[in-house]
Amino acid sequence: MTARQARTGADTHSPTEAETSASDREEIATLADIRRLAGGCRRCDLYEHATQVVTGEGSEHARLVLVGEQPGDQEDLQGRPFVGPAGRLLDRCLQEAELDRDECYVTNAVKHFKFERRGKRRIHERPNAGEVQACKWWLDRELKILKPRLVVALGATAVQALLGRAVGVMKQRGQVLPGPDGLQVLVTVHPSYLLRIPDSDAAERARSAFIEDLRKIHTVLGKQLSTRS
């Protein structure tokens, strides 16, 4: 598949043996293995234009995993998830919900930044189904290592990657849905959605609703997010 196909939404083809990266042939047993090997990922064409791969970060003992869509501009430059405007908003909302990001593991469904260049700006483009499926290889391994009790799906792309099907985020938000292999998935919006609401009153209502979604994590996990039971 060409880079143009990736931008226009064509599905990513399955890698041939020649295209398969070394990561497919190596045992991945730790999050450090993922960070070490993902930089050589060629499972789709997004690596061609991104600055670097952005894997997850956080507690290796986390019972709670937060999954977003993909890295943004700042994440791509810094090599860390959720460090841009949406990430800073997420941090504030987690605090208001009495949750500690340091006890969570934060990652994305897609590990490379997909964008359209407009002058000097890089404008976010939503990854297509093929790119999400290709990168699910890495997300599955993160979850297999962590074995979380709860995963929070931030937005439609994360829901699709985690559940393998489309779910109406606004209709199902705040609900815990069953995923594969016994995974529990709490559905909510992506914090970038809150940043795009132009009306300040509407934005504050949406922010409050998002915090209420996050507070439901306590119902499932209690207060100790990094203690395995």
Side-chain angles (χ1 to χ4, degrees), residues 43-61:
R43 302 186 70 82
C44 74
D45 291 341
L46 294 184
Y47 77 92
E48 293 180 352
H49 302 289
T51 304
Q52 59 192 311
V53 70
V54 182
T55 58
E57 69 174 20
S59 171
E60 296 191 358
H61 303 290

Side-chain angles (χ1 to χ4, degrees), residues 134-153:
C135 211
K136 189 175 183 296
W137 195 89
W138 294 106
L139 179 61
D140 285 347
R141 277 148 186 79
E142 288 176 308
L143 296 176
K144 182 178 180 181
I145 291 166
L146 289 160
K147 298 180 174 62
R149 282 188 56 196
L150 181 66
V151 180
V152 178

Side-chain angles (χ1 to χ4, degrees), residues 69-152:
E69 180 186 84
Q70 65 166 340
D73 181 73
Q74 286 302 309
E75 289 80 5
D76 174 72
L77 295 173
Q78 297 184 41
R80 298 180 57 210
F82 283 94
V83 293
R88 292 192 291 272
L89 177 57
L90 176 62
D91 288 348
R92 293 194 296 271
C93 291
L94 286 170
Q95 289 177 355
E96 291 193 45
E98 299 183 68
L99 296 161
D100 187 348
R101 172 167 165 165
D102 290 340
E103 295 184 5
C104 307
Y105 185 83
V106 183
T107 191
N108 283 295
V110 172
K111 312 303 188 194
H112 284 107
F113 180 32
K114 182 177 182 179
F115 62 91
E116 177 185 350
R117 190 173 293 280
R118 298 180 188 172
K120 294 183 178 180
R121 299 180 64 200
R122 300 190 301 173
I123 306 301
H124 163 277
E125 278 195 83
R126 184 173 179 173
N128 64 48
E131 291 153 355
V132 173
Q133 182 59 36
C135 211
K136 189 175 183 296
W137 195 89
W138 294 106
L139 179 61
D140 285 347
R141 277 148 186 79
E142 288 176 308
L143 296 176
K144 182 178 180 181
I145 291 166
L146 289 160
K147 298 180 174 62
R149 282 188 56 196
L150 181 66
V151 180
V152 178

